[in-house]
Amino acid sequence: MKVLFLTRYSQRGGSSRYMVHQYLPAYAQAGMTCTVAPLFDDRYFDFGVLDRPTGIGEIARHSLYYARRVLLRLRALIDSHRYDLVVLEKELFPYVPYGFEEWLRRRGAKLVVLFDDATYAYYRQHPFPLVRLLCRGKIERIVRGATHVIVWNDHLAGYMRRLNPRVSVVNSGVDITRYPPKDYRAPRTTDRLVIGWIGTPNGFPYLRSLETVFAELAQQYPIELHVISSMAYSSAHVQVVNRTWSMQTEVQHLHDLDIGVMPLPNDEWTQGKSGVKAVQYLAVGVPAVCSPVGVARRLITHNVNGMLADHPTAWRCALTRLLDDPDLRERMGMAGRATVIQSYSTQSVAPRLVDILLQAGRSA
């Protein structure tokens, strides 16, 4: 079976890496011939566009690049009839009204659409009225016309099933062979206790929600905050160590953490998140403290493989318990890794994805 994957990004983009690229070996082993056509390739990340909002000026500076990428995507659409199945990450062109997806459907493509966040909520809540107007109902129309929809979150599944009964939920997964466990017997590289966060700069406001908690803890413990991202984070309340994210250094930076955090507000957008950062913490055996939002409710069993905290006092208590007890950190971290191996690794998730795509390809 020949499958065309229309991803948003190359492997450097987190959403495309975790939804598509890391599963390509499993698809090939199942007999699929896979072609990946990203909208944005590696060069896109060299522009630093994920570190700040993309405005008209930013687009104009790189207009030739964007024009070329649009033409390449249009060429992929024209060639889509050569494939037995087309797998689309969310939408063909962000910020563009619905239409190209309908053209693809009318050309007879069997279309599987992937969602790891509530893109429909993003457009509804967008600060620019023109974007809200142009993209109103776009995601809903894409979902209605899909042969199958795959989501990484129960909340997304509930919404999508109102539009299309052919919706499957899969767990967020990481390749467990790429995420070896933290060695708790190894000599420490610092005498400070390390609380860590990994993500794009878009998530900095969520991390800032813990500033008052960090300020109180810093009065009692020798802590530092490690931020693994593409842009520097600053704080007036806690010592920050910024670690530049890369695929090559990601795991080592995660091993340096004593505790991983994933704070989130509880709204329509965050309820649709896939919880990958929490899965990453657990995969390397680092205990996680998370807001009880979205995937975290299912991933984290409170006081067993991590902790859930929904207000500042709960965050302070959870972090204090872990800072006070290195044995508890190790036990929870290893319990978290066991959870990932069983249910949130590519090795456990891939067979289900393979089955979904094979069935979609065989559908009438």
Side-chain angles (χ1 to χ4, degrees):
M1 185 170 76
K2 295 177 65 177
V3 185
L4 173 63
F5 291 88
L6 297 172
T7 62
R8 176 74 60 87
Y9 306 115
S10 66
Q11 193 169 1
R12 286 178 66 180
S15 62
S16 301
R17 182 169 65 255
Y18 289 114
M19 286 198 290
V20 174
H21 292 279
Q22 65 177 354
Y23 293 107
L24 293 175
Y27 296 147
Q29 190 173 8
M32 301 181 203
T33 302
C34 302
T35 300
V36 181
L39 178 58
F40 301 120
D41 61 6
D42 284 351
R43 188 182 167 202
Y44 175 79
F45 296 91
D46 297 332
F47 300 156
V49 293
L50 296 185
D51 299 342
R52 57 187 181 275
T54 303
I56 298 299
E58 183 70 44
I59 294 173
R61 278 193 294 276
H62 305 294
S63 57
L64 290 178
Y65 169 81
Y66 287 115
R68 182 172 182 272
R69 298 310 303 178
V70 168
L71 290 175
L72 287 172
R73 171 134 294 188
L74 291 174
R75 176 61 184 270
L77 298 187
I78 292 171
D79 291 341
S80 62
H81 68 281
R82 304 176 187 274
Y83 296 88
D84 302 300
L85 190 67
V86 177
V87 179
L88 171 64
E89 182 183 341
K90 301 171 187 172
E91 55 189 331
L92 286 169
F93 298 104
Y95 305 108
V96 174
Y98 179 80
F100 287 101
E101 294 85 1
E102 177 66 16
W103 179 67
L104 181 63
R105 189 181 69 83
R106 291 191 179 189
R107 285 174 59 84
K110 294 179 181 178
L111 183 63
V112 174
V113 190
L114 315 177
F115 291 98
D116 66 342
D117 59 33
T119 312
Y120 58 89
Y122 173 79
Y123 282 136
R124 286 180 191 167
Q125 301 166 7
H126 201 279
F128 294 116
L130 182 60
V131 172
R132 295 199 300 270
L133 176 64
L134 291 176
C135 297
R136 179 188 300 165
K138 175 185 180 180
I139 300 303
E140 288 80 358
R141 296 179 74 179
I142 292 172
V143 170
R144 288 191 186 99
T147 303
H148 204 94
V149 179
I150 304 175
V151 298
W152 271 254
N153 180 293
D154 289 327
H155 180 79
L156 293 179
Y159 182 80
M160 301 298 182
R161 283 175 179 146
R162 289 183 246 159
L163 307 167
N164 188 330
R166 300 176 298 277
V167 176
S168 296
V169 185
V170 297
N171 289 338
S172 302
V174 297
D175 183 352
I176 204 67
T177 64
R178 273 201 66 239
Y179 290 81
K182 173 186 175 84
D183 183 358
Y184 279 89
R185 304 295 174 264
R188 294 182 62 87
T189 57
T190 177
D191 57 356
R192 304 183 74 83
L193 293 166
V194 179
I195 298 172
W197 182 90
I198 186 171
T200 68
N202 291 333
F204 284 179
Y206 305 146
L207 183 57
R208 291 200 186 282
S209 69
L210 295 181
E211 283 290 314
T212 57
V213 175
F214 292 150
E216 293 179 23
L217 292 174
Q219 299 299 315
Q220 306 170 49
Y221 300 92
I223 63 170
E224 62 186 23
L225 176 65
H226 285 203
V227 176
I228 308 166
S229 188
S230 58
M231 187 176 176
Y233 179 87
S234 61
S235 171
H237 305 293
V238 64
Q239 180 176 323
V240 177
V241 176
N242 285 293
R243 303 293 196 190
T244 301
W245 179 90
S246 75
M247 288 187 65
Q248 292 72 33
T249 60
E250 174 188 68
V251 172
Q252 181 55 57
H253 293 331
L254 289 170
H255 282 178
D256 290 339
L257 309 183
D258 292 303
I259 306 166
V261 296
M262 190 178 78
L264 290 172
N266 191 0
D267 57 34
E268 184 70 15
W269 170 250
T270 58
Q271 286 176 26
K273 284 188 165 292
S274 62
V276 167
K277 60 170 55 67
V279 175
Q280 290 175 292
Y281 301 144
L282 270 57
V284 297
V286 169
V289 183
C290 304
S291 299
V293 176
V295 167
R297 291 176 180 271
R298 185 155 46 93
L299 171 66
I300 300 295
T301 302
H302 187 61
N303 286 333
V304 177
N305 64 355
M307 294 186 183
L308 298 171
D310 58 358
H311 54 82
T313 300
W315 274 97
R316 187 167 53 252
C317 290
L319 291 171
T320 296
R321 280 191 62 199
L322 289 167
L323 290 170
D324 280 337
D325 192 340
D327 291 335
L328 178 62
R329 295 199 298 268
E330 182 176 0
R331 287 198 306 274
M332 276 195 182
M334 290 302 104
R337 179 172 170 82
T339 299
V340 171
I341 291 172
Q342 181 176 354
S343 303
Y344 293 86
S345 62
T346 56
Q347 291 77 6
S348 62
V349 175
R352 176 160 168 74
L353 283 171
V354 167
D355 185 59
I356 292 169
L357 294 194
L358 288 175
Q359 288 191 37
R362 290 194 293 262
S363 64

